[in-house]
Amino acid sequence: MLITKLEHACLVLEEEGARLVIDPGAFTRPVEATDVVAVVVTHEHPDHGTVDQVAGILERNPGIPVFGPAGVAAALDEVVAVDVVTDGEARTVGPFALTFHGTRHQLIHSSVPVVDNTGVFVNGVLFHPGDAYIDPGVPVEVFATPVGAPWLKIGELMDHLASVTPRRAFPIHEATLSDIGFAGHTDRIRQVVEPAGEVVVLAPGESLTA
């Protein structure tokens, strides 16, 4: 499976010529991929999914399913009837076997509503948690690891990674960080994941194979 990171939290996965798009949000370039068989939006915040992004993907790839929790269905109802998923559910589309984990976004502050958030595990290889510290409860080959967010404390993230123990991790959700902050948080991730595992830093548009 080819995993391409775009800006912030968006990934495009490719397997057997088919593509899966995860979290095409407002901090990401317009996603112009073709041969897309499905879109996953982990939660309703606009940095993870927008009407414009999803509508553009559907225009190039009509009739494909969009998966997400109930809050995503409400946010995107003007462009698509979302297939609502939650913790413990599974879907298969093309060459992609999807399992869904978690129900709620990590707390930002008591004054900020906590929205639905459901991470996705793809082909038993790649886990994208959205915006939450989610342990899928099974071995993780590749972990798309948020590194900068209003809800994220680097010490908590380090503890989370130590619990999940992915073989490989790569930083996502970086748009809120300066270059210095990104480098510092990535070093903390390396401290936990390496030397038993590997941390790969992908610039937007770069890929790794899993």
Side-chain angles (χ1 to χ4, degrees), residues 133-153:
Y133 299 124
I134 300 170
D135 186 342
V138 294
V140 176
E141 172 75 14
V142 181
F143 202 145
T145 306
V147 291
W151 54 268
L152 189 148
K153 180 179 178 180

Side-chain angles (χ1 to χ4, degrees):
M1 184 166 61
L2 185 69
I3 302 164
T4 300
K5 185 197 178 304
L6 299 185
E7 294 83 4
H8 199 54
C10 185
L11 305 179
V12 179
L13 313 184
E14 184 173 349
E15 181 86 12
E16 300 176 6
R19 295 187 174 95
L20 173 72
V21 178
I22 304 175
D23 278 5
F27 297 167
T28 302
R29 72 187 75 176
V31 179
E32 299 179 346
T34 56
D35 301 315
V36 176
V37 296
V39 178
V40 175
V41 181
T42 61
H43 64 283
E44 65 201 73
H45 288 161
D47 58 323
H48 288 256
T50 66
V51 166
D52 288 347
Q53 283 275 32
V54 173
I57 295 168
L58 293 173
E59 183 177 352
R60 294 177 179 84
N61 307 274
I64 64 172
V66 177
F67 303 111
V72 170
L76 298 180
D77 65 350
E78 68 182 85
V79 291
V80 65
V82 170
D83 184 346
V84 174
V85 292
T86 189
D87 182 64
E89 296 191 344
R91 300 287 190 275
T92 299
V93 56
F96 300 105
L98 313 176
T99 58
F100 296 94
H101 302 267
T103 61
R104 303 297 279 170
H105 192 286
Q106 206 70 31
L107 179 67
I108 297 172
H109 184 263
S110 59
S111 66
V112 180
V114 178
V115 302
D116 300 322
N117 181 96
T118 299
V120 62
F121 205 4
V122 183
N123 289 351
V125 173
L126 170 93
F127 186 57
H128 188 309
D131 279 7
Y133 299 124
I134 300 170
D135 186 342
V138 294
V140 176
E141 172 75 14
V142 181
F143 202 145
T145 306
V147 291
W151 54 268
L152 189 148
K153 180 179 178 180
I154 193 62
E156 293 174 349
L157 175 61
M158 292 169 73
D159 288 342
H160 179 58
L161 285 169
S163 175
V164 176
T165 62
R167 194 177 80 79
R168 283 190 285 175
F170 67 95
I172 64 168
H173 212 280
E174 76 287 352
T176 61
L177 296 176
S178 68
D179 290 344
I180 293 171
F182 177 77
H185 283 206
T186 301
D187 284 345
R188 294 301 185 189
I189 292 172
R190 285 196 176 98
Q191 182 180 336
V192 176
V193 176
E194 298 176 350
E198 179 186 15
V199 174
V200 180
V201 177
L202 300 175
E206 292 184 339
S207 305
L208 62 83
T209 302

